[in-house]
Every structure is written in structure tokens, then in C-alpha cells.
Amino acid sequence: MKIKNLYIEEEILNNKRALKIEKKLKYENKIICKSYKEIFNPKNQNFRIQKNEPSIILATKKKNLILKAPKKFSIGLRENYYFSHMLNCIYDCNYCFLQGMFNSAHYVIFVNYEDFFLNIKDILNHKSGNTCFFSGYDCDSLALEDITGFMDFFLNKFIKLKNGILEIRSKSTNIKSIKKINPSNNIIPAFSLNPEHSIKSHEHNTPKLISRLNAIKELQNLGWNIGIRFDPFIWYGDLSEMSLFFKEIFSSVKKNKVHSVTIGNFRMANNYLKRMVKINPTDPYIFEKYMSRILPNTNENIMEPKMYKIKEKISEFVDKSRVFIN
């Protein structure tokens, strides 16, 4: 991977994992910093401009490694947490909340993988039942795996935590790390899907729908149970066309090897959305979502009944108990 600037926190200059990642990168400048926040957090950065030429920052995460998931974010378990070994994503989905949440488009890779695992292990030691951990909230779980090697490290350890469930959420087809281990009921590779026209319009630089379906089929043929995520689901058309789309999806995969299906609509904090309008002023999709928040008689809650209709359609192919609205 070629970048212009590589930033490294001073305290990890001799860290073995940081050195290993550095060797995989081609860069013009190597810059030492005290904390990644010096580069990542300052205001008045332009996310869109940086997205065209992002830098990589190698750092350690010291606080809030594992966070409690929102109440309505679940695949059926009562206890849910999320974490990210990176900040930001190599893809460029125009609905992504990261461009509203972060000041910078640079990629931060936290190299203290062991601390993430130990934190999860500590949480599980205080829980009696199964607890779910969602990977890839502030990044894509697999897209930069060839550089980070996070899943190569993490899966071999997590697979031994019998009361833990790990969801690996991704749009990537880079499934090499998953194929290295035997299928396990406590690890769920989960793929975000949308119709191809929505992918072309909104999910820039991501794999095509057919490529994601092929990755799902490859893992299912190896024995893996797969999560399917229509989240956010971006649809243009009527319910009959939608039914044909779901028929295409579920006729392409093994329905008995689908762990769960989630459905979600566009959801974002108002302050993130305001920032996104400023940095994407010509994006009609973002502008439409922004206007729906500020105009009278337009309430995004009208999407909720649609979500239940979508759930009914999907339940024609997968048992309703495995379909969740987030």
C-alpha cells in the first residue's frame, strides 16, 4: 500500500507489530508524534480532501477499547458490545457516519491487539450468558486485513471464548483470515449487502454485490454460518421489485447457513449530518436526508413501518426469528 505520510506514536517506534505493518507500506515521509490525536483530532481539517490521499497513523488505544452497543443494536443477544481496531475505512460510502464524526480521513491503526482481547475476556468473566461483540463499527473489519493482520491474531484467540460471540462485519471480500481457521459457532462473518444500483450510487470503491455473494458462498461451503446485513438498506423501487431482489439474494446462498439477517435504515446524529452536508454540498442523497430533518411534516420515523414490511419479505426466505431490525 502506497501513502504519502506514515505517522507513528513515539512509544511504539520499536513495537514489533508496528514495525511489521511499516514494512508492508510504501511511504514518502515518516513522522513521529506523541499521540495520534495530534494529527487526527484537530478541527478545520477537510475530510473530503484527505479522503483522496489519506495517511496512516500507527498508535495504541488506551481507553474505551470495548464499548456498550446501543440498546436496539442486536442479533438476538441481551448483552452487546462493539469495538474497532482501526478508525476510518478505505471505502467511501456517502452515507457513512464516520465523515460526520471524525475531523480526519486518515486511517488510525491501533497496534495493541492484545489489549482488545484481554478487555473482552475481562468482560466475559463477569457475564453468565453469551455476550456479542461487534467488530468493524468505526472501520471495515476485513478491508485492510492484509496490512493490519488483526483478524489473523484475533480469531485464533476468540474462538476459545465459548461464552463470547464475535460478529465480523464487512463489505470486503478479503476472507483469507477467516478461511485459515475451522468454522465456529461463536464467530459470525457478516456481509453488508445492497442492490447493485445502490452500491454504484452510494458505496464507492466497494466490491460488487456478486463478489460479496461469492465470498458468502465460499465461506458457507467451508461450513461457516453467515450474517447478512441490509444495514443501511438503500432501496429504490416498489415492494414487488424488492421481493425479486431478496429472492435473488437468498437463492444465491445456503439459507440453512444464514445465522441472522439485520435490516436498518439511514440513521445519524444531527450534528454529524450537518457536518456531512458542509463537506458534501453536491451530494443529493445527503442533502435529501438533511432536508427531511429540518422540514415540517417529514419525519424519518416513517421508515420504521417500511422496515417491518421488509422484514416480512425477508421472512419468506429465512425464519422470522433470525431477522432483526436495528
Side-chain angles (χ1 to χ4, degrees):
M1 186 176 183
K2 189 175 181 180
I3 56 172
K4 185 174 183 180
N5 296 321
L6 172 65
Y7 295 90
I8 306 180
E9 287 185 336
E10 187 176 42
E11 69 175 14
I12 58 169
L13 280 173
N14 296 314
N15 179 281
K16 288 183 179 179
R17 186 169 291 118
L19 291 170
K20 186 176 181 180
I21 292 173
E22 183 181 348
K23 286 180 181 179
K24 296 178 181 179
L25 302 171
K26 295 180 180 178
Y27 54 87
E28 295 180 24
N29 307 302
K30 180 177 176 178
I31 303 165
I32 314 303
C33 60
K34 287 284 186 183
S35 168
Y36 77 92
K37 296 177 183 179
E38 298 170 13
I39 294 88
F40 194 75
N41 285 2
K43 296 180 180 179
N44 300 320
Q45 301 186 75
N46 190 303
F47 192 99
R48 291 311 318 160
I49 292 174
Q50 286 186 355
K51 191 68 178 177
N52 295 325
E53 196 176 35
S55 299
I56 287 181
I57 309 169
L58 301 183
T60 56
K61 191 169 179 67
K62 295 180 170 63
K63 295 180 180 179
N64 301 320
L65 281 77
I66 314 296
L67 297 168
K68 193 76 173 160
K71 287 183 179 180
K72 292 186 179 181
F73 197 89
S74 173
I75 51 175
L77 281 78
R78 289 181 59 190
E79 294 287 342
N80 300 281
Y81 294 82
Y82 70 93
F83 69 97
S84 299
H85 64 284
M86 278 185 61
L87 302 181
N88 275 325
C89 179
I90 67 169
Y91 301 136
D92 194 12
C93 301
N94 66 344
Y95 56 73
C96 181
F97 70 94
L98 297 179
Q99 57 192 310
M101 183 168 72
F102 294 145
N103 294 322
S104 172
H106 296 326
Y107 310 140
V108 180
I109 301 173
F110 298 115
V111 301
N112 53 324
Y113 301 169
E114 292 84 359
D115 293 335
F116 284 91
F117 177 73
L118 291 173
N119 201 167
I120 286 175
K121 196 173 179 181
D122 183 60
I123 290 171
L124 290 175
N125 285 338
H126 295 87
K127 304 292 181 183
S128 56
N130 286 342
T131 300
C132 190
F133 298 87
F134 295 96
S135 167
Y137 187 82
D138 296 327
C139 65
D140 186 285
S141 297
L142 299 175
L144 215 58
E145 175 64 15
D146 289 345
I147 301 297
T148 67
F150 178 81
M151 288 298 165
D152 267 345
F153 164 86
F154 203 73
L155 296 184
N156 283 311
K157 291 185 173 294
F158 195 95
I159 201 169
K160 300 172 185 176
L161 303 178
K162 299 305 178 184
N163 59 330
I165 304 293
L166 173 67
E167 181 195 280
I168 308 168
R169 186 170 298 199
S170 181
K171 294 184 176 77
S172 174
T173 57
N174 185 8
I175 56 176
K176 289 179 287 187
S177 57
I178 302 172
K179 290 165 61 178
K180 289 178 183 178
I181 63 171
N182 292 325
S184 171
N185 288 331
N186 73 328
I187 295 175
I188 308 158
F191 292 84
S192 299
L193 304 181
N194 258 312
E196 186 59 38
H197 59 83
S198 295
I199 291 173
K200 287 179 180 178
S201 299
H202 302 292
E203 298 179 356
H204 309 298
N205 305 325
T206 64
K208 294 180 178 179
L209 174 62
I210 187 64
S211 299
R212 301 183 207 181
L213 289 174
N214 286 338
I216 290 172
K217 287 188 281 187
E218 186 174 356
L219 289 177
Q220 286 186 324
N221 287 337
L222 291 172
W224 285 95
N225 293 315
I226 301 298
I228 293 179
R229 307 293 178 246
F230 302 111
D231 188 3
F233 185 52
I234 301 176
W235 177 259
Y236 301 99
D238 58 28
L239 283 174
S240 62
E241 292 175 293
M242 189 184 294
S243 295
L244 290 175
F245 170 68
F246 290 134
K247 185 176 181 180
E248 174 194 355
I249 296 298
F250 292 106
S251 63
S252 300
V253 303
K254 295 180 179 179
K255 293 188 282 291
N256 64 320
K257 300 298 290 181
V258 172
H259 171 276
S260 53
V261 181
T262 64
I263 315 159
N265 59 6
F266 179 88
R267 53 191 185 274
M268 188 176 299
N270 284 335
N271 57 326
Y272 294 174
L273 188 54
K274 286 180 182 178
R275 185 183 293 183
M276 286 174 64
V277 170
K278 288 181 180 178
I279 64 176
N280 299 290
T282 61
D283 190 312
Y285 181 77
I286 296 303
F287 185 74
E288 176 194 344
K289 295 300 180 184
Y290 177 70
M291 293 304 292
S292 73
R293 298 278 179 94
I294 63 174
L295 289 177
N297 303 320
T298 56
N299 190 326
E300 283 190 329
N301 287 334
I302 64 174
M303 283 299 295
E304 192 165 331
K306 289 186 178 181
M307 292 292 105
Y308 285 97
K309 288 183 180 179
I310 294 170
K311 181 175 180 177
E312 290 298 321
K313 290 294 179 184
I314 293 173
S315 299
E316 294 174 11
F317 306 97
V318 178
D319 189 271
K320 189 178 290 188
S321 64
R322 288 187 280 158
V323 184
F324 303 91
I325 296 175
N326 281 332

